[in-house]
């Protein structure tokens, strides 16, 4: 089973609200999105991610998230890119 | 690495960035990501000793041994064809008008659980926040199993083809592209 999912492609965000020329999500769809998020929160692990770390995550079977943060003179700065291997990913 | 500095970054792969002693461990990480836990954190890169470009080269070089196929996040910059691979995740709200920020990745706000593009995603931390900003992971298979048991109606809702995702045309925060 593969899940690819991002809430904001259905709900919009800030500078990119949901376009008015596509249908709004239904109540059932909104409830489904919320359920995904709350269950993911319930079973989440925190990585203690810090400067000099690189995390590699199976993007087809694991959700990822990031807590809000405050900066003072230290600025959180992360480089991200997607890639793949030729191994098959079991479902 | 001296050779890599004289070539375009796209030339970085396991051959141009050899790591003979580390490679077996990095291939083991690939195996773990595909067949075991599904995630791994590499720790201890001395990012503060290198320039931004050097850190990107190290990141790409090490990662090439874990997964050799690099994905592309966008196909253009400023209307010109380009292979945009890397994304800089940092708070842009001090310098960019909020109406140009379309994703929480470019703010200090939390990012709720999601997936991105590609079969593996990698995140390299160059600087840590003063407070908060923790990375969290959650098994989507676990979420699915619990939802299937408790609310199968929502599984049906998620599986039906009546979802209309946004098709983004505008590039968000172009200045973060390297």
């Amino acid at each position: 089973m593969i899940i690819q999912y991002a809430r904001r492609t259905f709900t919009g965000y800030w500078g990119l609200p949901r376009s008015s020329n596509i249908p709004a999500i239904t109540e059932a769809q909104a409830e489904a999105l919320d359920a995904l998020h709350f269950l993911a929160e319930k079973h989440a692990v925190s990585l203690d991610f810090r400067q000099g770390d690189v995390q590699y995550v199976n993007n087809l079977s694991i959700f990822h998230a990031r807590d809000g943060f405050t900066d003072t003179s230290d600025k959180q700065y992360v480089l991200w890119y997607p890639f793949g291997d030729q191994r098959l990913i079991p479902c | 690495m001296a050779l890599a500095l004289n070539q375009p970054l796209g030339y970085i792969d396991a051959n141009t960035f050899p790591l003979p002693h580390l490679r077996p461990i990095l291939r083991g990480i690939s195996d773990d990501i595909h067949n075991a836990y599904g995630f791994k954190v590499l720790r201890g890169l001395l990012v503060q000793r290198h320039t931004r470009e050097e850190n990107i080269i190290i990141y790409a070089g090490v990662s090439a041994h874990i997964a050799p196929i690099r994905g592309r996040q966008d196909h253009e910059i400023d209307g010109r064809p380009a292979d945009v691979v890397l994304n800089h995740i940092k708070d842009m709200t001090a310098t960019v008008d909020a109406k140009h920020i379309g994703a929480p990745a470019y703010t200090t706000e939390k990012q709720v659980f999601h997936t991105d593009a590609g079969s593996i995603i990698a995140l390299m931390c160059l600087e840590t926040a003063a407070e908060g900003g923790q990375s969290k992971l959650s098994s989507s298979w676990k979420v699915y199993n619990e939802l299937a048991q408790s609310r199968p109606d929502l599984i049906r809702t998620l599986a039906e083809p009546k979802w209309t995702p946004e098709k983004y045309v505008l590039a968000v925060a172009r200045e973060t592209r390297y």
Side-chain angles (χ1 to χ4, degrees), chain A residues 26-76:
Chain A
T26 65
E27 264 189 52
Q29 289 176 331
E31 189 179 5
L33 292 179
D34 285 351
L36 283 181
H37 177 70
F38 288 117
L39 282 176
E41 281 278 4
K42 180 178 169 188
H43 297 292
V45 295
S46 180
L47 292 186
D48 186 29
F49 197 46
R50 55 181 84 158
Q51 186 187 51
D53 285 358
V54 183
Q55 59 177 280
Y56 297 93
V57 181
N58 184 318
N59 188 58
L60 301 182
S61 63
I62 294 177
F63 297 135
H64 60 278
R66 182 203 67 199
D67 285 344
F69 63 95
T70 53
D71 277 330
T72 52
S73 55
D74 300 301
K75 305 284 179 198
Q76 183 171 68

Side-chain angles (χ1 to χ4, degrees), chain A residues 1-10 12-19 21-23 25-26 28-33 35-37 39-91, chain B residues 27 30-31 33-34 38-45 47 52 59-60 63 66-71 73 85-90 98-99 101-105 107-138 140-144 146-147 151 162-166 168 172:
Chain A
M1 183 196 61
I2 293 174
I3 296 182
Q4 286 256 276
Y5 145 80
R7 183 184 180 92
R8 68 183 175 87
T9 58
F10 302 106
Y13 179 81
W14 243 23
L16 284 176
R18 188 165 174 83
S19 296
N21 60 343
I22 54 177
I25 58 174
T26 65
Q29 289 176 331
E31 189 179 5
L33 292 179
L36 283 181
H37 177 70
L39 282 176
E41 281 278 4
K42 180 178 169 188
H43 297 292
V45 295
S46 180
L47 292 186
D48 186 29
F49 197 46
R50 55 181 84 158
Q51 186 187 51
D53 285 358
V54 183
Q55 59 177 280
Y56 297 93
V57 181
N58 184 318
N59 188 58
L60 301 182
S61 63
I62 294 177
F63 297 135
H64 60 278
R66 182 203 67 199
D67 285 344
F69 63 95
T70 53
D71 277 330
T72 52
S73 55
D74 300 301
K75 305 284 179 198
Q76 183 171 68
Y77 197 127
V78 170
L79 298 176
W80 157 50
Y81 72 96
F83 54 129
D85 200 344
Q86 265 142 2
R87 297 172 191 263
L88 292 173
I89 294 182
C91 292
Chain B
R27 291 309 296 155
S30 178
D31 193 51
I33 290 167
H34 290 85
F39 68 95
K40 206 81 168 187
V41 178
L42 218 63
R43 173 156 291 173
L45 291 175
V47 300
R52 181 67 44 74
Y59 181 29
S63 300
I66 294 176
I69 304 169
R70 273 193 290 274
Q73 304 200 41
V85 174
L86 197 66
N87 213 333
H88 298 248
I89 307 297
K90 56 185 285 190
K99 68 174 181 282
I101 297 181
T107 71
T108 59
E109 294 190 352
K110 71 176 181 184
Q111 288 180 273
V112 296
F113 283 98
H114 63 283
T115 64
D116 290 305
S119 54
I120 302 174
I121 58 118
L123 294 167
M124 179 186 198
C125 185
L126 295 179
E127 295 181 52
T128 314
E131 198 176 339
Q134 262 313 313
S135 283
K136 298 192 293 196
L137 302 179
S138 194
S140 60
W141 293 359
K142 175 76 174 172
V143 166
Y144 177 90
E146 189 158 324
L147 205 54
R151 291 292 302 275
K162 296 178 193 169
W163 294 81
T164 310
E166 192 75 49
Y168 296 108
V172 175

